[in-house]
Amino acid sequence: MTALIVVSGLISLLALGSAAYYNAYVARQPRGTERMKEIQGYIREGAMTFMFEEAKHMTIAIIVIGVILWILFYWEVALSFWIGAFFSMAAGFIGMNAATLSNAPTTEAARRSLKDALRVSFSGGSVMGLAVAGLALGGLLIVLALFRREFDPANLAIHTKYLFGIKSAGVNFIKGALLVSAYSAGASLVALFDRVGGGIYTKAADMAADIVGKVEAKIPEDDPRNPATIADNVGDNVGDVGGLGADLLESFISSIISVIVMALYIYVGRNNLGIGDILAKFGLSTDVGVAQYWWLILLPVLMVAGGTFASWLGILYIRSRSGEDPQRALMDGLVISATLTAIFALLISWLSPTNFVPFFTVLLGLAAGVAIGRLSEYYTSYKYKPTLELAKANQAGPGVGVASGLAVGMLSTFWPVLVIVGATVLAYYIGDLLGVAFTAAGMLSFVGMNVSIDSYGPVADNAGGIATMAELPKEVRERTDQLDAVGNTTAAIGKGFAIGSAAFAALGLIASYLWSAIGSAEQVLPPQVPLIGDIHPSLSPIGQLITVGPWVIGGLIVGAMLPYVFSSILIRGVTRTADVLVLEIRRQFKENPDILTGETVADYKRCISITAGGALKNMTLPAMIAVVTPLFVGIVFGRYALAGLLFGALLSAIQLAIFCANAGGAMDNAKKYIELGHHGGEGSEAHAASVVGDTVGDPLKDTVGPSLDILIKLMSVISLLFASLFPVNPLFM
Amino acid sequence: MTALIVVSGLISLLALGSAAYYNAYVARQPRGTERMKEIQGYIREGAMTFMFEEAKHMTIAIIVIGVILWILFYWEVALSFWIGAFFSMAAGFIGMNAATLSNAPTTEAARRSLKDALRVSFSGGSVMGLAVAGLALGGLLIVLALFRREFDPANLAIHTKYLFGIKSAGVNFIKGALLVSAYSAGASLVALFDRVGGGIYTKAADMAADIVGKVEAKIPEDDPRNPATIADNVGDNVGDVGGLGADLLESFISSIISVIVMALYIYVGRNNLGIGDILAKFGLSTDVGVAQYWWLILLPVLMVAGGTFASWLGILYIRSRSGEDPQRALMDGLVISATLTAIFALLISWLSPTNFVPFFTVLLGLAAGVAIGRLSEYYTSYKYKPTLELAKANQAGPGVGVASGLAVGMLSTFWPVLVIVGATVLAYYIGDLLGVAFTAAGMLSFVGMNVSIDSYGPVADNAGGIATMAELPKEVRERTDQLDAVGNTTAAIGKGFAIGSAAFAALGLIASYLWSAIGSAEQVLPPQVPLIGDIHPSLSPIGQLITVGPWVIGGLIVGAMLPYVFSSILIRGVTRTADVLVLEIRRQFKENPDILTGETVADYKRCISITAGGALKNMTLPAMIAVVTPLFVGIVFGRYALAGLLFGALLSAIQLAIFCANAGGAMDNAKKYIELGHHGGEGSEAHAASVVGDTVGDPLKDTVGPSLDILIKLMSVISLLFASLFPVNPLFM
């Protein structure tokens, strides 16, 4: 047992060490011409400045929430929260640093060969992948090790704390559950800021650059004369590397901690009706010994350590294969990692005193994750019917094109939702709610590999931008475009995977919330401990359930509305920032006509700072919604209303996120397909229509879709963390 | 008591008689020039032909489902179903007949004065409004009178039927509940066909006419040279009159019958835990007498009879006022009807042995209905900020314009959802689930007035089309445009009202389903009667609940996905039909260049028949989804999974319907605002962008939004009707 934990720690260090090694590798690659270095410098500076500004902006929120946790609960909870936030930020910085280090070297490598370019760009992406897995696992092990007493089944108990010494304001919880929830909440909060800020940044810059550059000034993409072109390239990094990494790190952590939280509550409540049955499903009896029970708490940690090791091996494999067909190499690496993860899970299940249910659920998670990723590819790649038909529909003009694009997105919810539901129902049958949580952990266990593959895309994209801006020979751009095309496929798969994993992670978190908020109120907790606002203590549990009925329904409907309002605010954030940027670009072109002739260099920095300012300004409200709504609903309308709210938000967000991501993806690729010369090619009516579709789809796919993932996770984990504070029944009525 | 029922019948006859009177009134109005008569003839023929074709198409489904009901249950159930379907069809025909009779007379009246034009067009609309209220109420009274034994509390009992004589295939139900559910299901099925078929028809014609007419040939709206212009005008009638009338007729019926169904189950199960409490909330005790109890069953009928009478009075008022500001007259009439409805409800509550809870819930429904209608107006009228900002955003091009329009639609879910939830929670507190059902009935009780106001808009719209096509003086068109503008406001309010009322009606239906499917299985039914597929009969109710947990969750998530897939199919239906029509219009222009010079008359009929064909072809799949999905899920995955499915679909459809309706409405009005000369007016970049937005928004607001209303109602009423057939637990697992 202890040996396995030490091994997990070593795997975390191995991942981080390898990340450092790959970082050093890309750092020492040649960076090409002076012009290339100069451009890289701009991008790097812009990205790093934004990350620092973003960090500054979120620091206040992080400190305040930590202090609140300290005051309400214990300093240990605050510390765990800060560790989660810090590690999430660190992962973002490390990944962004590597990504912005690797872009020019990738371009330079592309001057030599495709093989070299793949090797450099994938190494850059791997730094993010390994950093995410290593830091998430490492941070969790630190929390577990620091406060190991609180996870030891021998000491597990319901703690009661009288808030501010007031006897009627008693809250009950398991301390270990609070600690890991706080760790996860810290990572979530940073992830939301990263995703929303990065998402607004990247799409505002992209939109504005396209509107003034491509449409008005008729200059090509990535043209150095466009003042927003650097901002656009910065956006690729802060959105698609920083945002995505923080998102998946957060899914990874929350999927593990929801298993741990449930396992803790199961042990405490093992003699209650129904709870013992769950232990039986895992081959354990209710008089399970402490030594045995440690396994159930640590199983998810061991599983993801296995997945991290499998990712590390997969990355080695891809690097060794580079040079052949890049798509093939990446997909083979992914399959190898998934297979090895399953094998490790089998081994761990076999070593543990449980039956093989943990293994089966992990396998289910892996299969569902891969299936959802593949389905996203089907709906958004121009290799398949939906996007081909969409490209054709663009011939009837932008109105029909956009409407058809929205229709593709709506239709694309069908299969992924059936996969999610099928896996959930199966997992539930095998292992009850705990099985669902294990499935989430399984899906995310090889996150190191997923993030590596996803982060490689933006590096290749940037490398192409640098090739154009530095006016390198055409074949260089062609090679980076080849890598970029593969990156688009992996991005589609990655996006599907992020949504699927978010759905599972949120389901796990909501299940944990139900355990700790409703389970503790009605089953686990000793009834003599008063709960805040428990105004109908005389009612039987069934009487209480009837009383709360309308609140659950109300919570569900309001919860289902939240993702729409949240999405609306994000789209406005993008269009408003883009508006300001458009004016700035027009101003530069007007006041300095030499920019368009290439005689004067455009003022890139001003565009970067405008975009960054807009992104920072517009990320606060969405973050507030995600944090404040569950607290408000929980405190005022009680635990049941909040349960409804979370579930309603999850239901609605799954559909809306898939719809937005795939509608945007399909519209983007329909445009690319037309640009290949179909339906009249560039300059045709169909192309003009598809450009409109792409503009509409961009914020949907890169801002709204991914941010919805985090919305539901952050709301769920905030609820889990503060669960004990919420009254059982509504305060009013 | 009996006197009041007779009065209700007389009110129904009064409404129908007045409809006949107003119909005769518009029929005897002068129809203007030969050209006007000719155009009216085309529109009338197109609309009537489509209605007949649509009726033929749905007849098979209506007969088949009726026969299935006969075989499974009783001939009375089939008959009730057929009455519902027939009355819904009849309402559609009567309303369409009047609307297509009044368009040319309205144009002719507009040559004289605005006052006369309002009087004629509103009389035309009133025929539909009064027909809907009169037929719905009359049909229900017929069912209640024919089978009065089945509603008499003295005879109420749980019936058991052994299907095909097989003992293990026993189903349990209250026969009266089956009869009214069948009546409602018949009306629902017709409504879905009308809404979907009409919605596809109207938007495909509109889209194609705009694409080839306005954009390609640069000829104005309603230009007689455009071969699709008549089809476009036919569409206004089949979609906005026929579809809307059938939709609200259906909401009206289902809101009444869900109260009746619940009241029946409450009486049968009055001695069970919790059920007696509901009676207490209405001021009745569990040993309530038969004579007293009749009141609870008939209260909703009396309430809506009051609402119908109030509508009749309101219509008289508007007609007497015509001549002043039309908007003012209509709104005053609406307020008068709502107020009178409330007063009648108060009177009826006072007469009945219940307390005033029925009155309060009806009042709540009225207030919520008006509030939601007003909110829709706020988000979509260019008098207010959201649409004004959207108009401005169009200056940045179609991409930003459409994205901003979608954002407005998403944001507009906020307040209406809070109103729906607030009213639901309040209604629940006052009167439990029965209170929620009463609130739905209250919201819909003055449907006669609502439909009258809504149906007047398309008549005015058509009148404008005829004015342009018949090349009448400019001031005629200006007058009809004034009426049309008022019609747009009432349409926005009407659309909000339709969505809000659908949400409430569906909630009432789902609540009835829960009573009859889950209540009957676990509380009301004698346990010795076997239920199909009850494979865990040994489990306690709590054990069964735990077993069904994942199925409910799975049902919720899949249910939330359905509205997206359904919407996608509708949008495709529109774009595909429009595609074919575009080709046809281009062909006519190409093969016969004289059409554009005005020397040859375009082939209107071919366009009409293509549009009709497309609409009929594309309405089958959505209808199948609405009917087959609940049956399949209910039979295979059991009652709990179906409950989850219905609730998930409701949650998701509310948001999606509000989003689609308001996004489309705002984009439409942003275009109209620009056409008034703002942001560069017609011909500007902003205008071009807003035209794209309008094209995207059109199918969202007129096809998707309204059809979603019926999707959730039809799924719910089908579930209610077949509830007893579904196993409690999933057949598999």
Side-chain angles (χ1 to χ4, degrees):
Chain A
M1 189 78 239
T2 319
L4 282 173
I5 301 170
V6 172
V7 169
S8 301
L10 290 177
I11 289 174
S12 160
L13 292 177
L14 174 70
L16 292 173
S18 304
Y21 172 80
Y22 293 140
N23 196 63
Y25 169 82
V26 293
R28 69 167 184 267
Q29 297 302 310
R31 292 158 56 210
T33 64
E34 281 313 305
R35 176 79 179 133
M36 287 164 67
K37 285 178 196 164
E38 187 197 357
I39 298 165
Q40 183 190 27
Y42 282 126
I43 298 176
R44 217 173 134 65
E45 196 196 322
M48 285 307 186
T49 310
F50 179 70
M51 284 294 273
F52 272 107
E53 283 297 321
E54 202 175 46
K56 264 199 267 174
H57 264 73
M58 58 178 117
T59 301
I60 302 164
I62 293 168
I63 292 176
V64 168
I65 296 178
V67 170
I68 291 174
L69 289 171
W70 193 333
I71 296 172
L72 290 176
F73 302 111
Y74 308 96
W75 65 267
E76 295 98 320
V77 180
L79 182 61
S80 301
F81 179 80
W82 286 327
I83 293 175
F86 178 74
F87 273 49
S88 177
M89 278 198 212
F93 270 103
I94 294 170
M96 285 273 288
N97 182 54
T100 54
L101 271 179
S102 352
N103 47 17
T106 300
T107 319
E108 180 61 18
R111 292 171 79 174
R112 301 193 303 271
S113 72
L114 181 63
K115 173 184 150 178
D116 287 359
L118 175 64
R119 195 181 172 85
V120 175
S121 54
F122 185 70
S123 298
S126 305
V127 175
M128 186 60 159
L130 291 166
V132 162
L135 285 172
L137 183 58
L140 184 64
L141 287 168
I142 289 174
V143 172
L144 291 175
L146 274 181
F147 312 117
R148 61 190 166 283
R149 232 196 124 270
E150 302 302 337
F151 302 94
D152 187 344
N155 300 321
L156 280 188
I158 300 281
H159 288 251
T160 301
K161 191 169 190 255
Y162 298 108
L163 299 178
F164 314 113
I166 304 165
K167 260 246 157 176
S168 64
V171 296
N172 309 302
F173 46 79
I174 297 176
K175 207 167 157 190
L178 262 193
L179 295 170
V180 288
S181 306
Y183 173 63
S184 179
S188 273
L189 185 66
V190 172
L192 185 79
F193 277 111
D194 279 359
R195 256 303 193 202
V196 172
I200 294 176
Y201 191 115
T202 180
K203 288 305 123 178
D206 191 7
M207 237 182 195
D210 281 0
I211 288 171
V212 194
K214 278 198 208 168
V215 180
E216 292 178 15
K218 314 269 181 215
I219 53 178
E221 175 114 28
D222 289 327
D223 193 294
R225 289 170 294 176
N226 191 331
T229 197
I230 300 274
D232 191 8
N233 277 280
V234 171
D236 291 342
N237 287 295
V238 298
D240 299 342
V241 179
L244 178 118
D247 182 354
L248 284 172
L249 175 119
E250 201 275 308
S251 273
F252 186 69
I253 293 177
S254 58
S255 70
I256 311 171
I257 72 105
S258 55
V259 182
I260 296 177
V261 170
M262 272 194 234
L264 296 175
Y265 274 94
I266 289 172
Y267 190 76
V268 172
R270 65 192 177 282
N271 294 317
N272 288 64
L273 178 79
I275 297 185
D277 297 349
I278 300 177
L279 281 179
K281 285 200 171 181
F282 281 80
L284 301 170
S285 68
T286 50
D287 55 351
V288 57
V290 168
Q292 278 195 315
Y293 204 79
W294 257 117
W295 273 97
L296 201 55
I297 294 166
L298 289 176
L299 260 179
V301 181
L302 300 177
M303 296 279 187
V304 301
T308 304
F309 190 58
S311 301
W312 183 80
L313 290 172
I315 290 168
L316 279 191
Y317 170 83
I318 292 176
R319 279 176 56 96
S320 76
R321 274 263 307 256
S322 0
E324 298 162 47
D325 174 13
Q327 167 116 22
R328 186 82 197 277
L330 293 177
M331 288 300 139
D332 285 355
L334 194 72
V335 171
I336 288 173
S337 290
T339 313
L340 287 174
T341 303
I343 294 173
F344 292 142
L346 183 67
L347 271 174
I348 296 163
S349 273
W350 179 68
L351 282 173
S352 94
T354 67
N355 55 19
F356 285 97
V357 163
F359 163 67
F360 287 125
T361 50
V362 166
L363 202 62
L364 197 60
L366 286 170
V370 172
I372 294 170
R374 282 290 180 174
L375 286 167
S376 293
E377 194 201 349
Y378 171 75
Y379 285 109
T380 59
S381 159
Y382 56 65
K383 278 181 280 181
Y384 304 101
K385 211 175 125 196
T387 303
L388 288 175
E389 285 190 356
L390 176 59
K392 204 169 153 233
N394 272 302
Q395 290 178 287
V400 175
V402 173
S404 304
L406 298 178
V408 170
M410 288 172 169
L411 195 65
S412 76
T413 56
F414 187 69
W415 286 110
V417 165
L418 289 192
V419 169
I420 291 172
V421 168
T424 307
V425 170
L426 260 174
Y428 193 98
Y429 266 84
I430 306 177
D432 214 284
L433 282 177
L434 188 63
V436 176
F438 260 112
T439 304
M443 189 184 254
L444 285 151
S445 51
F446 66 124
V447 78
M449 185 51 143
N450 275 295
V451 175
S452 299
I453 286 182
D454 288 348
S455 305
Y456 132 95
V459 173
D461 194 356
N462 256 242
I466 293 175
T468 304
M469 283 185 272
E471 288 156 2
L472 296 184
K474 222 178 120 196
E475 72 262 24
V476 179
R477 175 83 202 208
E478 276 167 13
R479 283 192 194 124
T480 61
D481 276 355
Q482 257 182 287
L483 288 182
D484 192 22
V486 177
N488 281 333
T489 307
T490 59
I493 298 178
K495 233 157 243 161
F497 184 80
I499 294 169
S501 67
F504 267 92
L507 214 54
L509 288 171
I510 295 175
S512 302
Y513 166 77
L514 293 176
W515 277 92
S516 50
I518 291 165
S520 72
E522 284 175 8
Q523 299 185 304
V524 180
L525 289 191
Q528 69 274 18
V529 181
L531 289 160
I532 289 183
D534 191 352
I535 48 169
H536 300 297
S538 61
L539 279 177
S540 67
I542 288 181
Q544 294 210 352
L545 258 173
I546 291 173
T547 318
V548 298
W551 295 106
V552 175
I553 294 175
L556 277 164
I557 302 178
V558 172
M561 170 265 284
L562 278 183
Y564 283 83
V565 172
F566 182 81
S567 303
S568 166
I569 292 168
L570 292 181
I571 296 175
R572 281 159 168 240
V574 172
T575 54
R576 283 176 185 175
T577 307
D579 262 359
V580 183
L581 196 52
V582 162
L583 293 180
E584 166 63 20
I585 306 171
R586 283 185 191 150
R587 185 195 65 79
Q588 289 197 21
F589 280 160
K590 198 176 159 194
E591 292 182 6
N592 205 339
D594 289 351
I595 293 177
L596 272 176
T597 60
E599 284 163 49
T600 313
V601 178
D603 187 353
Y604 301 132
K605 287 204 179 176
R606 221 182 131 75
C607 288
I608 291 174
S609 105
I610 285 174
T611 320
L616 295 172
K617 197 178 118 195
N618 287 295
M619 74 184 186
T620 315
L621 184 59
M624 291 268 294
I625 290 176
V627 174
V628 174
T629 312
L631 291 177
F632 175 77
V633 171
I635 290 172
V636 176
F637 300 108
R639 296 180 181 190
Y640 287 92
L642 181 54
L645 184 91
L646 294 178
F647 210 78
L650 172 66
L651 284 182
S652 182
I654 291 175
Q655 324 291 341
L656 199 55
I658 298 176
F659 158 51
C660 287
N662 290 344
M667 292 199 259
D668 185 5
N669 284 322
K671 186 193 74 172
K672 290 194 173 127
Y673 180 74
I674 292 173
E675 284 173 354
L676 290 176
H678 303 278
H679 306 305
E682 285 199 59
S684 67
E685 289 246 351
H687 184 248
S690 71
V691 169
V692 173
D694 186 34
T695 313
V696 176
D698 260 351
L700 295 182
K701 93 176 186 300
D702 289 324
T703 313
V704 173
S707 299
L708 285 172
D709 299 353
I710 312 211
L711 172 74
I712 49 175
K713 288 182 289 178
L714 182 55
M715 280 175 52
S716 307
V717 77
I718 288 281
S719 306
L720 176 59
L721 185 54
F722 290 94
S724 58
L725 287 176
F726 306 140
V728 173
N729 291 301
L731 279 185
F732 311 110
M733 286 216 171
Chain B
M1 186 81 240
T2 318
L4 282 172
I5 300 171
V6 172
V7 169
S8 301
L10 290 177
I11 290 174
S12 161
L13 291 176
L14 173 70
L16 292 174
S18 305
Y21 172 79
Y22 293 140
N23 195 65
Y25 169 81
V26 294
R28 69 169 183 265
Q29 297 303 310
R31 292 160 55 212
T33 66
E34 279 315 305
R35 176 79 179 131
M36 285 163 70
K37 286 180 194 160
E38 185 197 356
I39 297 166
Q40 184 191 27
Y42 280 127
I43 296 175
R44 218 173 132 65
E45 195 196 324
M48 285 308 189
T49 311
F50 179 71
M51 283 295 273
F52 272 107
E53 282 297 320
E54 203 176 46
K56 265 200 266 173
H57 263 73
M58 57 178 120
T59 301
I60 303 165
I62 293 168
I63 292 176
V64 168
I65 295 178
V67 170
I68 290 174
L69 289 171
W70 192 333
I71 296 172
L72 289 175
F73 302 111
Y74 308 96
W75 66 266
E76 294 98 321
V77 180
L79 181 60
S80 302
F81 179 80
W82 286 327
I83 293 175
F86 177 75
F87 273 48
S88 177
M89 278 197 212
F93 270 103
I94 293 171
M96 285 275 287
N97 182 55
T100 54
L101 271 180
S102 354
N103 47 18
T106 300
T107 319
E108 180 61 20
R111 292 171 80 173
R112 301 192 301 272
S113 72
L114 181 63
K115 175 186 148 176
D116 287 0
L118 174 64
R119 194 180 172 85
V120 175
S121 54
F122 184 70
S123 298
S126 305
V127 176
M128 185 60 159
L130 291 165
V132 162
L135 285 171
L137 182 59
L140 184 64
L141 287 169
I142 291 175
V143 171
L144 290 176
L146 273 181
F147 311 119
R148 60 190 167 284
R149 230 197 125 270
E150 303 301 339
F151 301 95
D152 187 344
N155 301 321
L156 280 188
I158 299 283
H159 287 251
T160 300
K161 190 168 190 250
Y162 297 108
L163 300 177
F164 313 114
I166 303 166
K167 259 247 158 175
S168 65
V171 296
N172 308 301
F173 45 79
I174 296 176
K175 207 169 159 189
L178 261 193
L179 294 170
V180 287
S181 307
Y183 173 62
S184 178
S188 274
L189 186 66
V190 172
L192 186 79
F193 277 110
D194 279 359
R195 257 300 194 202
V196 172
I200 294 176
Y201 191 115
T202 179
K203 288 303 124 178
D206 190 8
M207 235 180 195
D210 281 0
I211 289 171
V212 193
K214 278 198 210 169
V215 181
E216 292 178 17
K218 316 267 179 215
I219 53 178
E221 175 112 29
D222 290 325
D223 193 292
R225 291 170 293 176
N226 192 332
T229 199
I230 301 275
D232 191 6
N233 278 282
V234 172
D236 290 342
N237 287 295
V238 298
D240 298 343
V241 180
L244 179 119
D247 182 354
L248 285 172
L249 176 118
E250 201 274 308
S251 271
F252 186 69
I253 294 177
S254 58
S255 70
I256 310 171
I257 72 104
S258 55
V259 181
I260 297 178
V261 170
M262 270 194 236
L264 297 174
Y265 274 94
I266 288 172
Y267 191 77
V268 172
R270 65 191 179 285
N271 294 318
N272 286 66
L273 178 77
I275 296 183
D277 298 348
I278 301 177
L279 281 179
K281 285 199 171 183
F282 281 80
L284 301 170
S285 67
T286 51
D287 54 352
V288 57
V290 166
Q292 277 196 314
Y293 204 81
W294 257 118
W295 273 96
L296 201 55
I297 294 167
L298 290 177
L299 261 179
V301 180
L302 301 178
M303 297 279 188
V304 300
T308 303
F309 189 58
S311 301
W312 183 81
L313 290 172
I315 290 168
L316 279 191
Y317 171 83
I318 292 177
R319 279 176 56 97
S320 75
R321 274 263 307 254
S322 358
E324 299 164 46
D325 173 13
Q327 167 115 22
R328 186 81 197 279
L330 294 176
M331 288 302 138
D332 284 354
L334 195 72
V335 170
I336 287 173
S337 292
T339 312
L340 288 173
T341 304
I343 293 173
F344 293 143
L346 183 67
L347 271 175
I348 297 163
S349 272
W350 179 69
L351 282 174
S352 95
T354 67
N355 54 18
F356 285 97
V357 163
F359 163 67
F360 287 124
T361 50
V362 166
L363 201 63
L364 197 59
L366 286 170
V370 172
I372 294 170
R374 283 291 181 172
L375 286 167
S376 292
E377 194 201 349
Y378 171 74
Y379 285 110
T380 60
S381 159
Y382 56 65
K383 276 181 280 179
Y384 305 102
K385 211 175 126 196
T387 302
L388 288 175
E389 285 190 357
L390 176 59
K392 203 169 155 231
N394 273 303
Q395 291 179 289
V400 174
V402 174
S404 303
L406 297 178
V408 170
M410 288 172 170
L411 195 64
S412 76
T413 55
F414 187 70
W415 286 111
V417 165
L418 289 192
V419 169
I420 292 172
V421 168
T424 308
V425 170
L426 260 174
Y428 194 97
Y429 266 84
I430 306 177
D432 214 284
L433 282 178
L434 188 63
V436 176
F438 260 111
T439 304
M443 189 184 253
L444 285 151
S445 50
F446 66 126
V447 79
M449 185 48 139
N450 275 294
V451 174
S452 299
I453 286 184
D454 288 349
S455 304
Y456 131 94
V459 173
D461 194 357
N462 256 243
I466 292 175
T468 304
M469 284 185 272
E471 288 154 3
L472 296 185
K474 224 177 121 196
E475 72 263 24
V476 179
R477 175 82 200 206
E478 276 166 12
R479 283 193 195 123
T480 61
D481 277 355
Q482 256 180 287
L483 288 182
D484 192 22
V486 177
N488 280 331
T489 305
T490 60
I493 297 178
K495 232 157 242 161
F497 184 81
I499 294 169
S501 68
F504 267 92
L507 214 54
L509 288 171
I510 295 174
S512 303
Y513 166 77
L514 292 176
W515 277 90
S516 52
I518 291 166
S520 72
E522 286 175 7
Q523 298 185 302
V524 181
L525 289 191
Q528 68 274 19
V529 181
L531 290 159
I532 289 183
D534 190 354
I535 50 172
H536 299 297
S538 62
L539 278 177
S540 67
I542 289 181
Q544 293 208 355
L545 259 173
I546 291 173
T547 318
V548 298
W551 295 106
V552 175
I553 294 175
L556 277 164
I557 301 179
V558 172
M561 171 264 284
L562 279 181
Y564 284 83
V565 172
F566 182 81
S567 304
S568 167
I569 292 168
L570 292 181
I571 296 175
R572 281 158 169 244
V574 173
T575 56
R576 282 176 186 172
T577 306
D579 263 359
V580 183
L581 194 54
V582 161
L583 293 180
E584 167 63 20
I585 306 172
R586 284 187 190 147
R587 186 195 65 77
Q588 290 198 21
F589 281 160
K590 200 176 157 194
E591 293 181 6
N592 206 340
D594 290 349
I595 293 178
L596 270 176
T597 59
E599 285 163 48
T600 313
V601 177
D603 187 353
Y604 302 131
K605 288 207 178 174
R606 219 180 135 75
C607 288
I608 290 174
S609 105
I610 285 174
T611 318
L616 294 171
K617 197 177 119 195
N618 285 296
M619 75 182 186
T620 315
L621 184 59
M624 290 269 292
I625 289 177
V627 174
V628 174
T629 312
L631 291 176
F632 175 78
V633 170
I635 290 171
V636 176
F637 300 107
R639 296 180 181 191
Y640 288 92
L642 180 54
L645 185 90
L646 295 178
F647 210 78
L650 172 66
L651 283 184
S652 183
I654 291 176
Q655 325 291 340
L656 200 53
I658 299 176
F659 158 52
C660 287
N662 290 345
M667 291 199 261
D668 185 5
N669 284 323
K671 186 193 74 172
K672 290 192 174 130
Y673 180 73
I674 293 173
E675 285 173 354
L676 291 178
H678 303 278
H679 305 307
E682 283 200 60
S684 65
E685 290 245 349
H687 184 248
S690 71
V691 169
V692 173
D694 186 34
T695 315
V696 175
D698 261 351
L700 296 182
K701 92 175 186 298
D702 290 324
T703 315
V704 173
S707 299
L708 285 172
D709 299 353
I710 312 211
L711 172 73
I712 50 174
K713 287 182 288 178
L714 181 55
M715 280 175 52
S716 304
V717 77
I718 289 280
S719 305
L720 176 59
L721 185 54
F722 289 94
S724 58
L725 288 175
F726 307 141
V728 174
N729 291 300
L731 280 183
F732 311 110
M733 287 213 172

